[in-house]
Amino acid sequence: MAVSPESFPPRKRRPSANCFVAPNLSDRNLLKSLLLLSSEISTLKPLLFLLKRNTSSIIRKSKLLSVLFEEILGRDFTYSNTSRGGGGHVTGFPPSAVLCFDELYIVLQRMKTLLEDCRNCSKMWLLMQIDVFCNVFHELTLELSTLLDILPSKKLKLNDDVQELLILITKQCSEKFTYVDPKDRDLRSQVVEMLDRIEREIVPDQCELTEIFEKLTLRDSTSCRDEIELLEEEIQSQTDEKAISDIIALIGFVRYAKCVLYGGSTPRTNSRRRRAAADVNIPADFRCPISLDLMKDPVVVSTGQTYDRSSITLWFESGHTTCPKTGQTLTHTDLIQNSALKNLIAMWCREQKIPFESTEMNVKSNGVVTNKTALEATRMTVSFLVNKLKASQVVESANRLVHELRVLAKTDSDSRACIAEAAALPLMVKLLGSEHPSLQVNAVTTILNLSILEANKTRIMETDGVLNGVIEVLRSGATWEAKGNAAATIFSLSGVPAYKKRLARKTRVVKGLMDLAREGPTNSKRDALVAILNLAGDREAVGKLIEGGVVEMVADIMDGLPEEAVTILEVVVKKGGLVAIAAAYPLMKKLAIVLRDGTDRARESAAATLVNMCRKGGSEMVAELAVLQGIERVIWEIMGMGTGRGRRKAATLLRVLRRWAAGLDAEVASGAYSDVNMNTSTRIVLPG
């Protein structure tokens, strides 16, 4: 979907006064730039809800300035230059006038930026910061007054009409005090008082709530949703924890008012800001090996592998002490940020018009101790939505309410806890079986979002009907999106070792994931594959996966998703013993193709898989690999150009082949080939 380029990337800091500089232009071109800039400002519309007088005043002064600049530009100037020996006349503007023009350009640039900032920022935050913004308007007006005072009007030989215009503008800029509209102050006091009542667990009066939002022109669900997005962006501009905490409280307040005043809403199809990463083909190196999603905060573990911080943290919290990709025991669980990769991902997101909100920013906004106002606003919102959902008899109404819960469950841990504590899960059970596709998607996605919180995993597994409902959606959901989100829920739940074993024992889970991985669209396939990969981390679960046809499934998808396929096969072969190796035997040729043509990560996993198969499968397995034409050249290429782990695995694989070629079959089967001479002759067929 179309997204305006101006939205990327969101501005982290507002520019300071020192950021503006005058252009390096000739005198007349500088004056033309001033005329153009003042004309642009004069075409802007004043704000109608806050800062009305302040913005109108700046725009009115800019209109008068454009007339002044136009009059000056229409005259030819020569002035006496007494600073040079012998005097004389010079064509152009006096240097003192040019200096004033430079400074005027900077002031007008700041005015334009301020007006645009006021128009585009959050209305709630603008109201809370009304004194600050009014002071900035006043400071700019005083600077403009000073510059007009020192403008050398006599040297510019302005006629009487232009002189009068200059005097008029100067007088209008001579305001001694900052002006704050009493109505704006009163409205801010209303909001502050209402936030205080929410903190004291007093439900806001709906009539007063309506009055506030009407004055701020937040008159429907869409405008409230835009306001929430703007507040979320405002967090990125802040470094002060108190300010961030206050903004979070305002987000909760707006979200509550949105639900109470305008009801639930459904996803919009023309969001002005968002484009999903799923809409584009993500480079393999930008995907997390655990979640297979775009990494937002890539970090490196002790084995040198890179993962998304949230995924690897969840892996550690589930009790794992090994590297998910290599299976090696980690020497420590410290995470080192991969800044270079993060910058590359951010650049790619900008090119693709995808908002890049790093985990670091999310931690910043969610890591602040949530103030009581924000928490109580969330509880009130959840209570309102759940009570409305209980009473709802209309599918469309229920769909909007569940969508609101879905969005709320995605925001933070407090929201997830509040929703679960409000007994929303039992309400989701009957909705999972809904014939309304959108309602089913919203219900299963709400459960998925709730499952991110560790405490909610237990609630989901133990609440009657929830797990079975999710499994049923996985198997026979109305849409691929619903099936994919059900698979993602299985992945989330399987982060707990006990639940991983329990889920793997369910034939319906395994079959549902296999079918989705085979038949679904790419995004849904990946949801299923990441769940399968997580289940395969348990040795007992691997047996169930093999019985369910995981190797056959890998064979089916290897041509389309080679990296994901070989990653799963690597884990299955490593954990599954001889049964897995026997099942994987027919895939030797496909693995060799991936070894030759795949990405670095895919080649690494293919090499590791072949090493395990040859080590445990004996000479027959090695012979099958050895007869593949050009295999040794491919292995040499990986040893020279592959990843660190890929080079090690390729070297091991070559040693296996060399020993087999030398007739040391027994040692191949036992894995005793660590000190082989690499120059041993070989019977491997090489390309002509």
PDB file of all heavy atoms in Angstrom, residues 500 531-539 541-542 545 550 568 571-572 575:
ATOM      1  N   LYS A 500       5.940 -27.677  25.340  1.00  0.00           N
ATOM      2  CA  LYS A 500       6.489 -28.163  24.070  1.00  0.00           C
ATOM      3  C   LYS A 500       6.258 -29.669  23.944  1.00  0.00           C
ATOM      4  O   LYS A 500       5.801 -30.153  22.894  1.00  0.00           O
ATOM      5  CB  LYS A 500       7.983 -27.850  24.008  1.00  0.00           C
ATOM      6  CG  LYS A 500       8.667 -28.293  22.718  1.00  0.00           C
ATOM      7  CD  LYS A 500      10.164 -28.028  22.765  1.00  0.00           C
ATOM      8  CE  LYS A 500      10.463 -26.565  22.875  1.00  0.00           C
ATOM      9  NZ  LYS A 500      11.907 -26.276  22.775  1.00  0.00           N
ATOM     10  N   ALA A 531       7.255 -22.767  14.208  1.00  0.00           N
ATOM     11  CA  ALA A 531       6.684 -23.589  15.279  1.00  0.00           C
ATOM     12  C   ALA A 531       7.264 -25.001  15.244  1.00  0.00           C
ATOM     13  O   ALA A 531       7.600 -25.583  16.286  1.00  0.00           O
ATOM     14  CB  ALA A 531       5.160 -23.632  15.139  1.00  0.00           C
ATOM     15  N   ILE A 532       7.398 -25.558  14.046  1.00  0.00           N
ATOM     16  CA  ILE A 532       7.993 -26.896  13.898  1.00  0.00           C
ATOM     17  C   ILE A 532       9.437 -26.888  14.390  1.00  0.00           C
ATOM     18  O   ILE A 532       9.883 -27.803  15.092  1.00  0.00           O
ATOM     19  CB  ILE A 532       7.920 -27.343  12.423  1.00  0.00           C
ATOM     20  CG1 ILE A 532       6.463 -27.588  12.017  1.00  0.00           C
ATOM     21  CG2 ILE A 532       8.753 -28.602  12.196  1.00  0.00           C
ATOM     22  CD1 ILE A 532       6.258 -27.772  10.525  1.00  0.00           C
ATOM     23  N   LEU A 533      10.183 -25.836  14.030  1.00  0.00           N
ATOM     24  CA  LEU A 533      11.581 -25.737  14.456  1.00  0.00           C
ATOM     25  C   LEU A 533      11.688 -25.697  15.973  1.00  0.00           C
ATOM     26  O   LEU A 533      12.567 -26.328  16.563  1.00  0.00           O
ATOM     27  CB  LEU A 533      12.210 -24.481  13.844  1.00  0.00           C
ATOM     28  CG  LEU A 533      13.686 -24.225  14.168  1.00  0.00           C
ATOM     29  CD1 LEU A 533      14.555 -25.361  13.649  1.00  0.00           C
ATOM     30  CD2 LEU A 533      14.137 -22.899  13.578  1.00  0.00           C
ATOM     31  N   ASN A 534      10.777 -24.982  16.606  1.00  0.00           N
ATOM     32  CA  ASN A 534      10.803 -24.897  18.066  1.00  0.00           C
ATOM     33  C   ASN A 534      10.471 -26.243  18.702  1.00  0.00           C
ATOM     34  O   ASN A 534      11.100 -26.661  19.679  1.00  0.00           O
ATOM     35  CB  ASN A 534       9.818 -23.827  18.542  1.00  0.00           C
ATOM     36  CG  ASN A 534      10.272 -23.157  19.828  1.00  0.00           C
ATOM     37  OD1 ASN A 534      11.467 -23.030  20.083  1.00  0.00           O
ATOM     38  ND2 ASN A 534       9.329 -22.723  20.640  1.00  0.00           N
ATOM     39  N   LEU A 535       9.477 -26.944  18.153  1.00  0.00           N
ATOM     40  CA  LEU A 535       9.135 -28.271  18.672  1.00  0.00           C
ATOM     41  C   LEU A 535      10.289 -29.248  18.488  1.00  0.00           C
ATOM     42  O   LEU A 535      10.524 -30.123  19.328  1.00  0.00           O
ATOM     43  CB  LEU A 535       7.884 -28.801  17.960  1.00  0.00           C
ATOM     44  CG  LEU A 535       6.560 -28.081  18.246  1.00  0.00           C
ATOM     45  CD1 LEU A 535       5.446 -28.686  17.398  1.00  0.00           C
ATOM     46  CD2 LEU A 535       6.194 -28.162  19.717  1.00  0.00           C
ATOM     47  N   ALA A 536      11.025 -29.101  17.385  1.00  0.00           N
ATOM     48  CA  ALA A 536      12.120 -30.029  17.084  1.00  0.00           C
ATOM     49  C   ALA A 536      13.284 -29.885  18.057  1.00  0.00           C
ATOM     50  O   ALA A 536      14.184 -30.729  18.072  1.00  0.00           O
ATOM     51  CB  ALA A 536      12.619 -29.802  15.656  1.00  0.00           C
ATOM     52  N   GLY A 537      13.278 -28.841  18.874  1.00  0.00           N
ATOM     53  CA  GLY A 537      14.346 -28.684  19.858  1.00  0.00           C
ATOM     54  C   GLY A 537      14.283 -29.709  20.969  1.00  0.00           C
ATOM     55  O   GLY A 537      15.242 -29.868  21.731  1.00  0.00           O
ATOM     56  N   ASP A 538      13.160 -30.425  21.082  1.00  0.00           N
ATOM     57  CA  ASP A 538      13.009 -31.465  22.108  1.00  0.00           C
ATOM     58  C   ASP A 538      13.165 -32.832  21.457  1.00  0.00           C
ATOM     59  O   ASP A 538      12.522 -33.139  20.450  1.00  0.00           O
ATOM     60  CB  ASP A 538      11.626 -31.349  22.758  1.00  0.00           C
ATOM     61  CG  ASP A 538      11.401 -32.398  23.817  1.00  0.00           C
ATOM     62  OD1 ASP A 538      11.964 -32.265  24.920  1.00  0.00           O
ATOM     63  OD2 ASP A 538      10.648 -33.360  23.532  1.00  0.00           O
ATOM     64  N   ARG A 539      14.038 -33.670  22.023  1.00  0.00           N
ATOM     65  CA  ARG A 539      14.345 -34.968  21.410  1.00  0.00           C
ATOM     66  C   ARG A 539      13.110 -35.859  21.292  1.00  0.00           C
ATOM     67  O   ARG A 539      12.900 -36.534  20.289  1.00  0.00           O
ATOM     68  CB  ARG A 539      15.434 -35.669  22.228  1.00  0.00           C
ATOM     69  CG  ARG A 539      16.126 -36.800  21.494  1.00  0.00           C
ATOM     70  CD  ARG A 539      17.294 -37.322  22.314  1.00  0.00           C
ATOM     71  NE  ARG A 539      18.322 -36.320  22.508  1.00  0.00           N
ATOM     72  CZ  ARG A 539      19.290 -36.068  21.621  1.00  0.00           C
ATOM     73  NH1 ARG A 539      19.341 -36.736  20.488  1.00  0.00           N
ATOM     74  NH2 ARG A 539      20.199 -35.151  21.877  1.00  0.00           N
ATOM     75  N   ALA A 541      10.033 -34.820  21.082  1.00  0.00           N
ATOM     76  CA  ALA A 541       9.132 -34.228  20.094  1.00  0.00           C
ATOM     77  C   ALA A 541       9.569 -34.555  18.670  1.00  0.00           C
ATOM     78  O   ALA A 541       8.729 -34.694  17.769  1.00  0.00           O
ATOM     79  CB  ALA A 541       9.062 -32.717  20.287  1.00  0.00           C
ATOM     80  N   VAL A 542      10.887 -34.696  18.448  1.00  0.00           N
ATOM     81  CA  VAL A 542      11.387 -34.995  17.107  1.00  0.00           C
ATOM     82  C   VAL A 542      10.812 -36.309  16.592  1.00  0.00           C
ATOM     83  O   VAL A 542      10.446 -36.440  15.425  1.00  0.00           O
ATOM     84  CB  VAL A 542      12.931 -35.027  17.094  1.00  0.00           C
ATOM     85  CG1 VAL A 542      13.445 -35.624  15.786  1.00  0.00           C
ATOM     86  CG2 VAL A 542      13.483 -33.628  17.273  1.00  0.00           C
ATOM     87  N   LEU A 545       7.459 -35.694  15.312  1.00  0.00           N
ATOM     88  CA  LEU A 545       7.515 -34.953  14.053  1.00  0.00           C
ATOM     89  C   LEU A 545       7.886 -35.870  12.890  1.00  0.00           C
ATOM     90  O   LEU A 545       7.341 -35.740  11.786  1.00  0.00           O
ATOM     91  CB  LEU A 545       8.531 -33.810  14.163  1.00  0.00           C
ATOM     92  CG  LEU A 545       8.158 -32.654  15.098  1.00  0.00           C
ATOM     93  CD1 LEU A 545       9.314 -31.672  15.227  1.00  0.00           C
ATOM     94  CD2 LEU A 545       6.915 -31.928  14.596  1.00  0.00           C
ATOM     95  N   VAL A 550       7.686 -34.947   8.954  1.00  0.00           N
ATOM     96  CA  VAL A 550       8.427 -33.696   8.855  1.00  0.00           C
ATOM     97  C   VAL A 550       9.477 -33.744   7.749  1.00  0.00           C
ATOM     98  O   VAL A 550       9.696 -32.743   7.041  1.00  0.00           O
ATOM     99  CB  VAL A 550       9.072 -33.327  10.208  1.00  0.00           C
ATOM    100  CG1 VAL A 550      10.165 -34.314  10.598  1.00  0.00           C
ATOM    101  CG2 VAL A 550       9.621 -31.906  10.168  1.00  0.00           C
ATOM    102  N   ILE A 568      15.412 -26.740   9.614  1.00  0.00           N
ATOM    103  CA  ILE A 568      14.600 -27.738  10.324  1.00  0.00           C
ATOM    104  C   ILE A 568      15.222 -29.121  10.192  1.00  0.00           C
ATOM    105  O   ILE A 568      15.333 -29.876  11.173  1.00  0.00           O
ATOM    106  CB  ILE A 568      13.161 -27.732   9.786  1.00  0.00           C
ATOM    107  CG1 ILE A 568      12.450 -26.437  10.204  1.00  0.00           C
ATOM    108  CG2 ILE A 568      12.380 -28.951  10.287  1.00  0.00           C
ATOM    109  CD1 ILE A 568      11.084 -26.254   9.594  1.00  0.00           C
ATOM    110  N   VAL A 571      18.151 -29.786  12.567  1.00  0.00           N
ATOM    111  CA  VAL A 571      17.770 -30.076  13.954  1.00  0.00           C
ATOM    112  C   VAL A 571      17.179 -31.476  14.057  1.00  0.00           C
ATOM    113  O   VAL A 571      17.481 -32.228  14.996  1.00  0.00           O
ATOM    114  CB  VAL A 571      16.761 -29.026  14.458  1.00  0.00           C
ATOM    115  CG1 VAL A 571      16.294 -29.369  15.871  1.00  0.00           C
ATOM    116  CG2 VAL A 571      17.381 -27.638  14.438  1.00  0.00           C
ATOM    117  N   VAL A 572      16.333 -31.839  13.099  1.00  0.00           N
ATOM    118  CA  VAL A 572      15.691 -33.162  13.129  1.00  0.00           C
ATOM    119  C   VAL A 572      16.730 -34.268  13.033  1.00  0.00           C
ATOM    120  O   VAL A 572      16.690 -35.257  13.785  1.00  0.00           O
ATOM    121  CB  VAL A 572      14.657 -33.280  11.982  1.00  0.00           C
ATOM    122  CG1 VAL A 572      14.183 -34.720  11.833  1.00  0.00           C
ATOM    123  CG2 VAL A 572      13.469 -32.358  12.245  1.00  0.00           C
ATOM    124  N   LYS A 575      18.770 -34.456  16.341  1.00  0.00           N
ATOM    125  CA  LYS A 575      18.058 -34.946  17.521  1.00  0.00           C
ATOM    126  C   LYS A 575      17.384 -36.298  17.300  1.00  0.00           C
ATOM    127  O   LYS A 575      17.066 -36.996  18.256  1.00  0.00           O
ATOM    128  CB  LYS A 575      16.969 -33.934  17.928  1.00  0.00           C
ATOM    129  CG  LYS A 575      17.481 -32.534  18.239  1.00  0.00           C
ATOM    130  CD  LYS A 575      17.873 -32.405  19.688  1.00  0.00           C
ATOM    131  CE  LYS A 575      18.191 -30.963  20.026  1.00  0.00           C
ATOM    132  NZ  LYS A 575      18.549 -30.775  21.431  1.00  0.00           N
TER     133      LYS A 575
END
